[in-house]
Structure formats: C-alpha cells, structure tokens
Amino acid sequence: MNAPETIVKTGKIMLVGLGPGSNDHLTARARAAIAEADTIIGYVTYIRLVADLVAGKEVIKKSMTEELDRAIEALDRARQGKKVALISSGDAGVYGMAGPTFEVLFQAGWTPDSEIEVEIVPGASALNTCAALVGAPLTHDFCAISLSDLLTPWPTIARRLDAVAYADFVVALYNPKSGRRTQQIVEAQRLFLRHRDPQTPVAIVKSGYRPKQRIEFTSLDKMAEADIGMLSTVLIGNSNTFIKHGLMVTPRGYANKYAVEAGERNTHAGEQAGRSLSSGLNGWMATIQASGKSAAELAADYRLPEDYIAAVLATEVPEEGEAAEVEA
C-alpha cells in the first residue's frame, strides 16, 4: 500500500487581529506574523496603525466595503507562494476578516489539507478593550450586536436588539453610527427603552487606545444625543450596572449569596458556597412545582414562555452533585 501523499504547504494566509490599534496592545504573535509576511493587506486605516512594522514589504491598501476584495487578493498572493498578513483591527474573528476569508477560500475549493496554510492570530476586540477603559461592565452576561445594515436586514437587527434588551444583557453596540447611517442608534435606543430603565448606564468609547481617544458616560435616555461615530463602541449596562467614581461596573452576583461586613465574607441564610443559589435551577423548579400556580400564572411571574414552564412543571427535580464548583 502506498503511503498517503504529503502535501507541501506553499503560501500562507495569516488573519491578524491588531487589537485596539496601539503597539502596546499588539500581541507578540501578531507582531511576529507581520514580520514574517511578504505581503500586508488591509483597510487603509488599519495599515496606518502598523505603518512602522511594514516597511519594505508589499502593502496592498483597500477601502471600506472591500472586504471580499481583500480576501481574494490574499488568496491570489498565497497561491503565488507568498506569506500574507491580512489584518483587521480588534480580533479578526469578531466582525473582522476571518469570516469573509473562509467564505472566499471555501468557494475556491480550499480545505485545511490544501497547499495554502491559514492561521488566525487573535487580538483584543473593541468589546474587551473599551470595557477595560471604563471599568468592569462585562462581569456578567453580555453580547455584541452590530448596527450596520450594509449586510444585515434591519428587521433582523431590531429583533436581536429587542430580545437582548428584554433579557437584560449588557450589550456592546458595534458600528453604531456613520455619516450615512444616523438613525440606527436612535432606533436601538427606542427598542431598549421598551424594556430598560431610562437611567440605565451607558459608556461610549471613541478611538480607544488611539491618540484621539474619548470616553463619555451617559444614560440610556440620552444615549442618542452623545458624540457617536464609526470609531465608537457603545456599552449599555444591565439592570444592575452602576457608575461610581468614574467607573462602570456590572456586579457578578456575589451579593445574592454573600454579605461582606468588616472585611469578612458571610453566606446568606439558605445559601452554600460552591453550590447553586437557592433560586438556581433545582431550587426554582422545586419552588414553582410547590406553588400550586398554573403554567400561565408562572409564565407571567417569571416572564418566560408558558410552554417552557409547563415542561418544567412536568419534569422531576434533579439531584445536585456533591462536588463544589468555582463560582464564576
């Protein structure tokens, strides 16, 4: 039997996330990937962020909305045996070039066993970097939504906004506003105000970690009046988020289980360290099953679908294991 043929890798595409844009926050691997590359491809603004690292290399600058062209160009250069750094700000996999590049590669018949190697070099996304600048707003459940309707129908975006506003997520809004798209942030505010307190804290970070960085704290009812543009990320808190001493913080939920007094941590009555809350899944199931209420009444109480409540009422409460867990 003949041994399987070994495919020699020739070209390489490196999908490089630059992070927020300052060299201090560029990862060592991202820096090495740029140094390794023969060709650098990217949006002209992103190229400027690493101008001191690309001297002597072939540099291909593309405009906004030319993402597929960038990916096609990267594939063409890699087929010539070159190493290509296709750069994105933030992380290449978060509204970056990783997705479009794989779409182009798959359409060209590429597989991971092909002669062209592909590497994704992660970077810190705006979600992380902007959060770091304003405090700790992402300590509890959060999500990201882009307000750009260049590729996504507005009704799809609006449904997602409404759903996360209702579910009380902390939300990061990407691409919130541009010279052409000015109404989307107003509609996002309108949808959030259906479910959230008007005084919900909001942080707006523009050009984070770049020379023209600007941070503004406001409230949900005034959000649309703030200075917001394409280089802004908008962070909307949940119902527990607060701003204190110039820092935006979302509690993780430790107060539900512990009281800290005089420097000592004390567990609330009925709670156990390393175990689910008394109002966690098992405790909640036992409570509603013993309540005597109908599925319709409980659905209204907990703002949950009636058919889900009915299924839970018909399910035996599981036993909780003995092992303690890390509380995170």
Side-chain angles (χ1 to χ4, degrees), residues 174-193:
Y174 281 66
N175 306 311
K177 191 175 181 179
S178 69
R180 186 189 63 82
R181 295 182 300 100
T182 60
Q183 185 64 23
Q184 284 80 354
I185 190 68
V186 176
E187 297 306 318
Q189 178 189 49
R190 191 197 313 275
L191 287 162
F192 266 80
L193 286 171

Side-chain angles (χ1 to χ4, degrees), residues 309-322:
I309 295 290
V312 171
L313 290 174
T315 301
E316 184 177 348
V317 178
E319 293 185 7
E320 189 167 344
E322 293 297 320

Side-chain angles (χ1 to χ4, degrees), residues 155-215:
T156 299
I157 298 171
R159 282 194 298 271
R160 291 170 180 171
L161 291 167
D162 189 66
V164 298
Y166 177 80
D168 203 27
F169 280 93
V170 176
V171 180
L173 298 179
Y174 281 66
N175 306 311
K177 191 175 181 179
S178 69
R180 186 189 63 82
R181 295 182 300 100
T182 60
Q183 185 64 23
Q184 284 80 354
I185 190 68
V186 176
E187 297 306 318
Q189 178 189 49
R190 191 197 313 275
L191 287 162
F192 266 80
L193 286 171
R194 295 183 65 243
H195 307 289
R196 301 284 183 93
D197 188 317
Q199 295 305 305
T200 298
V202 174
I204 299 159
V205 181
K206 190 172 186 178
S207 299
Y209 293 101
R210 300 181 191 179
K212 295 183 179 180
Q213 173 182 298
R214 184 176 185 277
I215 298 171

Side-chain angles (χ1 to χ4, degrees), residues 32-57:
I34 292 171
E36 179 185 340
D38 304 302
T39 302
I40 310 296
I41 301 175
Y43 174 44
V44 60
T45 298
Y46 306 155
I47 296 288
R48 282 201 293 266
L49 295 174
V50 290
D52 57 327
L53 303 179
V54 303
K57 299 180 182 293

Side-chain angles (χ1 to χ4, degrees), residues 45-121:
T45 298
Y46 306 155
I47 296 288
R48 282 201 293 266
L49 295 174
V50 290
D52 57 327
L53 303 179
V54 303
K57 299 180 182 293
E58 179 186 33
V59 177
I60 300 174
K61 301 175 183 179
K62 294 287 184 178
S63 300
M64 188 70 76
T65 75
E66 293 183 336
E67 290 83 3
L68 292 179
D69 292 338
R70 291 177 227 166
I72 292 167
E73 196 80 57
L75 175 58
D76 180 63
R77 290 298 192 279
R79 281 173 167 165
Q80 297 173 28
K82 293 185 177 182
K83 293 182 177 180
V84 182
L86 182 50
I87 63 174
S88 300
S89 66
D91 184 275
V94 181
Y95 303 117
M97 284 303 303
T101 300
F102 279 119
E103 290 183 53
V104 167
L105 288 169
F106 291 149
Q107 289 173 5
W110 176 91
T111 71
D113 296 325
S114 299
E115 68 278 6
I116 295 173
E117 181 182 354
V118 177
E119 178 188 359
I120 300 176
V121 180

